[in-house]
Amino acid sequence: MRSQIPGPSFPSPSSVGSARPGPAHRRPVVGIIGNSSLLNESYPVHAGGTMNSEAVALVSGCLPLIIPTDPNFVTVEELLDLCDGFLLTGGRPNVHPSEYGEDETPAHGSFERARDAITLPLVRACVERGQPFLGICRGFQEVNVAMGGTLHPEIRDLPGRMNHRMPPDGTIEEKFALRHPVRFTPGGVFHRLMGAEEVMTNTLHGQGIARAGQRIVIDGTAPDGTPEAIYVEGAPGFTLSVQWHPEWNAASDPVSRPLFAAFGAAVRDWAEGRAPTRLSA
């Protein structure tokens, strides 16, 4: 049985990605949650953004494996056995509101029920086992819903909130550009990891946390109060999740790099049977 250790231990960002596994060793496997899509508007595929694989391979130092997130093809038990950690990616479809006790409305947008059927129980299983995951955007929202929380369908419609959605026009560099600060809890997990109480991030989301789930700690917020950084209190493993997209420019961004570095260290610990890093305030 895996034991727990009392506090987080984060690697130096400069040390991650430099070591290469020898021929007798495999890289730890990170299951990248795939999204259903249509190639050429007609051919159905399960896809994952190249920047997710790049961040996992080059910064976390792990083997990226795109998962066809559909219970017709995979089970949660198989994924837990196959992978050492999971990247809960962003995606255009949203978590179905029935998963947090609300009725579907046009404001909730589109859905991917097959992904819901895999990721929500996967999150709960990882929390219980101490198996590491990193949640991004929709993945961040999945973690909150999996732990019993709720979501706002469109946060830009709330009084006093800014528009967090991706700009409709411009180059990909412009769409992923840094757009607002995130302030962390002084002395909290994200503050210690980043070495700063405030950082700049991109923003490409329409929904956001309404009510935090059980054991969900909101450890960072945007200037308008939107939750941006969370973890699961008391979880025996790595559960950091963010509302922005750190996979963009992960190797050189001073915020993205330590996040993926710490995730990679946690995945390696799990793969090698060491005690998982326990994150607490």
Side-chain angles (χ1 to χ4, degrees):
M1 179 177 295
R2 296 170 189 270
S3 60
Q4 297 179 356
I5 56 177
S9 177
F10 299 119
S12 166
S14 61
S15 68
V16 175
S18 57
R20 296 297 181 186
H25 302 282
R26 69 165 177 85
R27 284 180 291 169
V29 176
V30 169
I32 296 178
I33 297 301
N35 288 301
S36 296
S37 183
L38 288 177
L39 183 65
N40 296 329
E41 300 182 351
S42 61
Y43 186 75
V45 298
H46 281 105
T50 302
M51 65 182 74
N52 291 310
S53 297
E54 185 175 89
V56 166
L58 301 185
V59 186
S60 298
C62 299
L63 176 68
L65 180 66
I66 298 174
I67 301 298
T69 317
D70 187 322
N72 290 312
F73 311 132
V74 299
T75 67
V76 170
E77 291 75 17
E78 288 172 322
L79 295 178
L80 292 169
D81 184 59
L82 174 67
C83 301
D84 301 302
F86 297 93
L87 184 66
L88 307 172
T89 59
R92 186 171 296 277
N94 297 309
V95 178
H96 197 278
S98 65
E99 298 289 354
Y100 47 92
E102 296 183 8
D103 294 329
E104 176 184 335
T105 71
H108 287 97
S110 61
F111 310 108
E112 191 174 335
R113 299 297 278 134
R115 174 168 167 162
D116 295 345
I118 292 294
T119 54
L120 299 180
L122 178 65
V123 166
R124 290 188 284 266
C126 285
V127 168
E128 181 178 351
R129 290 159 58 96
Q131 199 158 348
F133 62 76
L134 171 59
I136 293 175
C137 199
R138 174 185 160 128
F140 167 96
Q141 295 163 11
E142 286 170 330
V143 173
N144 185 58
V145 172
M147 301 303 292
T150 65
L151 303 174
H152 290 298
E154 187 62 76
I155 56 175
R156 65 182 173 182
D157 293 340
L158 299 173
R161 298 292 186 97
M162 61 185 286
N163 182 6
H164 288 255
R165 284 192 173 274
M166 179 178 67
D169 301 309
T171 65
I172 190 169
E173 290 81 9
E174 291 168 335
K175 291 179 179 180
F176 280 86
L178 305 181
R179 289 175 53 202
H180 70 64
V182 171
R183 176 164 288 276
F184 302 128
T185 303
V189 170
F190 279 88
H191 177 198
R192 300 200 309 274
L193 172 60
M194 301 296 177
E197 286 189 26
E198 186 173 290
V199 300
M200 287 296 295
T201 71
N202 55 38
T203 182
L204 299 92
H205 64 102
Q207 298 197 332
I209 290 178
R211 184 187 73 245
Q214 295 179 358
R215 300 168 59 194
I216 292 292
V217 176
I218 297 174
D219 203 37
T221 57
D224 63 357
T226 298
E228 295 278 344
I230 62 174
Y231 64 91
V232 181
E233 179 65 44
F238 187 102
T239 62
L240 300 192
S241 302
V242 298
Q243 184 63 88
W244 69 89
H245 283 263
E247 72 274 24
W248 170 254
N249 200 27
S252 57
D253 182 79
V255 177
S256 301
R257 187 170 178 83
L259 183 59
F260 274 97
F263 175 56
V267 175
R268 282 190 295 279
D269 284 346
W270 177 269
E272 297 172 11
R274 293 194 293 266
T277 300
R278 182 171 182 172
L279 296 167
S280 56

